[in-house]
Amino acid sequence: MINKNLIIQKLNNFSVKKVTIDVLRLDKVHSIVSGNKWFKLQLYLKDALENNKTCIATFGGAFSNHIVATAFACKQLSLKCFGIIRGDEFVNTKLSHTLEKSVEYGMNLFFLNRNDYANKTIPTDLINENFYLINEGGYGNLGALGFSKVFDEINNDSYSHIICACGTGTTLAGCVIKAKQNQNIIGINVLKGYEKIDEEIRNILPKEFKNKNFSVYNEYHFNGYAKKNAELIQFMNDLYEQYNLPTDFVYTAKLFYGLNDLLVKDILKKSDKILVIHSGGLQGNLSLPINSLRF
Ligand SMILES: *Cc1c(COP(=O)(O)O)cnc(C)c1O
């Protein structure tokens, strides 16, 4: 089940600066259910139950960590669940590992063509269900508040910087909510051309936190979501060999790559006390060609 004992790993001599950084290993929370997704889902599920909903519906891609996390969480709560998946080309092909797992956990899948998906069309089969809709990626206010609960379980007083990967930015919003005064919250955006992310993050911050500062770096996406090159794969293998730290090519590898670069460029200093949120997502690596990774 879900292991709530959160682990912080120290990396010594990280980057050319040879800094010591702390890594919050949310990937250790569960092997399939990515750590940040688990936290982001909790308050939506509570809200659904309080409103007597009998099922959950949500949107995502065929490789989405959010989809499989939702499937698993619904299984635990004995809620019916529906995954509305981008791309109807998957109907007649072998399911991705992510979708296979989701079906195993009891999720019902619907496939939408890209156009209907873009319009977030609800499949007609769902119209008569008493469903609770969760946004793609768990984006939203309850997702941010749910993630912020991570900081009830660790002590973040001593850090000058907290850094995480951003897709929707909900995880980062959760960090902003619990940030101490003078603590810098930094996001590494894995999406290309999604510079309005700052605004999307502000939009889901509760009113009393809307003016808190954070910064998002937009230059570490490696040409787009889930895009990769040989350099990134090499970087992942090096991280693993030096620090015994597994990362995924969609989010956390880009996060550590960005962090390394910010240190090299002296935007982050040797004296900074850095906490990195390892948000999980390792199951995504199963879509890489075998033998790409040494872990
Ligand atoms: C979904 C995901 C993210 C992005 O989280 P957001 O809250 O959408 O910004 C980061 N890391 C991993 C491993 C994820 O699966």
Side-chain angles (χ1 to χ4, degrees), residues 214-227:
F214 60 86
S215 34
V216 178
Y217 289 89
N218 293 305
E219 40 287 303
Y220 302 111
H221 54 66
F222 283 74
N223 217 27
Y225 183 73
K227 295 279 194 313

Side-chain angles (χ1 to χ4, degrees), residues 8 22 155-162 183 273-275:
I8 292 183
D22 282 0
N155 183 350
N156 65 325
D157 291 354
S158 62
Y159 300 109
S160 60
H161 295 74
I162 298 176
Q183 205 164 49
K273 294 276 297 161
I274 301 168
L275 176 69

Side-chain angles (χ1 to χ4, degrees), residues 22-283:
D22 282 0
V23 181
L24 178 62
R25 294 287 304 268
L26 295 183
D27 59 307
K28 295 275 201 190
V29 161
H30 191 271
S31 62
I32 301 288
V33 182
S34 163
N36 72 329
K37 298 299 183 298
W38 178 253
F39 282 96
K40 285 199 290 182
L41 279 170
Q42 296 309 307
L43 295 182
Y44 292 118
L45 296 170
K46 187 162 172 274
D47 196 33
L49 292 173
E50 281 169 6
N51 286 290
N52 301 316
K53 300 293 181 183
T54 51
C55 57
I56 302 290
T58 195
F59 289 90
F63 303 96
S64 160
N65 295 322
H66 166 69
I67 286 288
V68 66
T70 305
F72 181 82
C74 287
K75 179 183 158 72
Q76 286 211 314
L77 295 170
S78 304
L79 280 166
K80 225 157 122 180
C81 92
F82 299 94
I84 307 167
I85 310 301
R86 177 178 55 238
D88 51 8
E89 70 272 21
F90 298 107
V91 177
N92 297 315
T93 56
K94 191 175 162 349
L95 290 181
S96 66
H97 179 84
T98 309
L99 294 183
E100 227 170 54
K101 274 280 166 206
S102 305
V103 169
E104 199 180 302
Y105 295 142
M107 183 178 254
N108 303 286
L109 301 179
F110 294 99
F111 296 90
L112 294 186
N113 64 43
R114 311 260 153 179
N115 206 9
D116 286 344
Y117 190 89
N119 296 324
K120 296 285 180 282
T121 309
I122 301 289
T124 47
D125 311 62
L126 268 181
I127 304 245
N128 294 323
E129 299 275 356
N130 179 21
F131 67 88
Y132 184 91
L133 190 65
I134 300 177
N135 286 332
E136 182 173 18
Y139 173 75
N141 180 264
L142 289 181
L145 282 169
F147 187 77
S148 77
K149 294 194 181 296
V150 165
F151 296 99
D152 297 344
E153 303 192 30
I154 61 164
N155 183 350
N156 65 325
D157 291 354
S158 62
Y159 300 109
S160 60
H161 295 74
I162 298 176
I163 181 165
C164 68
C166 294
T168 65
T170 305
T171 299
L172 183 131
C175 295
V176 171
I177 289 171
K178 288 289 171 77
K180 310 284 182 214
Q181 226 178 0
N182 301 323
Q183 205 164 49
N184 298 284
I185 306 297
I186 297 177
I188 301 295
N189 189 357
V190 304
L191 296 165
K192 183 179 174 179
Y194 186 55
E195 263 105 77
K196 68 169 184 165
I197 189 166
D198 287 63
E199 199 185 317
E200 299 283 357
I201 292 167
R202 283 227 185 273
N203 284 341
I204 59 169
L205 282 172
K207 218 169 47 242
E208 63 271 36
F209 303 115
K210 279 215 194 293
N211 294 321
K212 285 177 93 172
N213 285 328
F214 60 86
S215 34
V216 178
Y217 289 89
N218 293 305
E219 40 287 303
Y220 302 111
H221 54 66
F222 283 74
N223 217 27
Y225 183 73
K227 295 279 194 313
K228 59 192 178 298
N229 61 19
E231 188 192 357
L232 188 68
I233 300 292
Q234 180 67 45
F235 181 79
M236 291 167 75
N237 281 324
D238 290 347
L239 263 186
Y240 186 74
E241 281 180 356
Q242 278 188 48
Y243 308 107
N244 199 21
L245 183 74
T247 49
D248 77 295
F249 72 97
V250 182
Y251 294 101
T252 52
K254 294 176 185 180
L255 165 64
F256 280 94
Y257 189 97
L259 170 62
N260 182 60
D261 196 55
L262 294 174
L263 284 159
V264 169
K265 293 195 169 127
D266 218 29
I267 295 169
L268 291 173
K269 316 279 181 205
K270 187 162 170 73
S271 56
D272 291 337
K273 294 276 297 161
I274 301 168
L275 176 69
V276 189
I277 311 287
H278 188 314
S279 35
L282 298 175
Q283 63 97 18

